[in-house]
Amino acid sequence: MTTLPAHIAEHYYSLHQPNPDTAADAAAVIDGFVNEYTAEEAGRELWLLFSGALTSEHLPYSDIAQERKCMLHFYEYVKALLEATYALQPIKTQNA
């Protein structure tokens, strides 16, 4: 089950199969994401997920510093990936 729009889900699932259009499918997923969220919204949502998980009483091993360090590392890496993704997108005009 997915909550992705059907046209994006199709490209997403194609990434997991041998496919000559892998780059096109990956680009379609990225385009769908950047059209759905601004860079600021994406960063805010990522922060909400991270901070919510980190402060949850239900997080396994949350009392272990190494686990929290791994979560922070993953958060920072995904944040960098998001920023790089937006930096590679063509600049869209206000009227587009």
Side-chain angles (χ1 to χ4, degrees), residues 43-67:
R44 184 174 52 248
E45 292 297 323
L46 181 61
W47 173 253
L48 289 172
L49 285 170
F50 171 66
S51 63
L54 196 61
T55 59
S56 172
E57 294 177 5
H58 304 290
L59 179 69
Y61 311 112
S62 62
D63 56 333
I64 300 172
Q66 185 64 30
E67 279 298 310

Side-chain angles (χ1 to χ4, degrees), residues 23-86:
D25 288 326
V29 172
I30 292 168
D31 287 344
F33 184 86
V34 300
N35 288 326
E36 181 84 17
Y37 299 97
T38 66
E40 293 78 21
E41 289 169 334
R44 184 174 52 248
E45 292 297 323
L46 181 61
W47 173 253
L48 289 172
L49 285 170
F50 171 66
S51 63
L54 196 61
T55 59
S56 172
E57 294 177 5
H58 304 290
L59 179 69
Y61 311 112
S62 62
D63 56 333
I64 300 172
Q66 185 64 30
E67 279 298 310
R68 294 189 308 271
K69 179 184 175 197
C70 288
M71 286 185 64
L72 179 58
H73 175 76
F74 184 79
Y75 165 80
E76 289 176 335
Y77 225 124
V78 172
K79 180 89 163 122
L81 177 64
L82 283 172
E83 290 180 21
T85 298
Y86 281 96

